[in-house]
Amino acid sequence: MRDQIEQRAQALRREIRHTEDEVRAELRRIADRLEYQKTDRKALASMLIELAARLETGGTVTDLLEGLNTSKD
């Protein structure tokens, strides 16, 4: 039982690290895009509000990344 809990904890830690890496990579892509495109303050504020709302409501990372990709288009 204890081994199962430890294995699950390790799997969750790996998943969290992977998720953090995905979010960081997407934020880097957004930052790069902002460097090359003139984005008005209202659009930037909207994007950051959407990011905060998704993080606050506990949406999945997949939902978060899809939302960010949709806002790019």
Side-chain angles (χ1 to χ4, degrees), residues 23-61:
V23 171
R24 281 189 192 106
E26 183 62 25
L27 289 173
R28 279 189 208 105
R29 284 190 287 274
I30 290 171
D32 289 344
R33 192 179 90 223
L34 290 174
E35 285 181 22
Y36 294 108
Q37 295 177 355
K38 179 149 178 104
T39 301
D40 64 31
R41 289 177 185 232
K42 190 173 184 176
L44 178 59
S46 176
M47 185 174 25
L48 292 173
I49 289 169
E50 178 69 17
L51 176 64
R54 288 177 184 269
L55 290 173
E56 186 175 67
T57 60
T60 66
V61 171

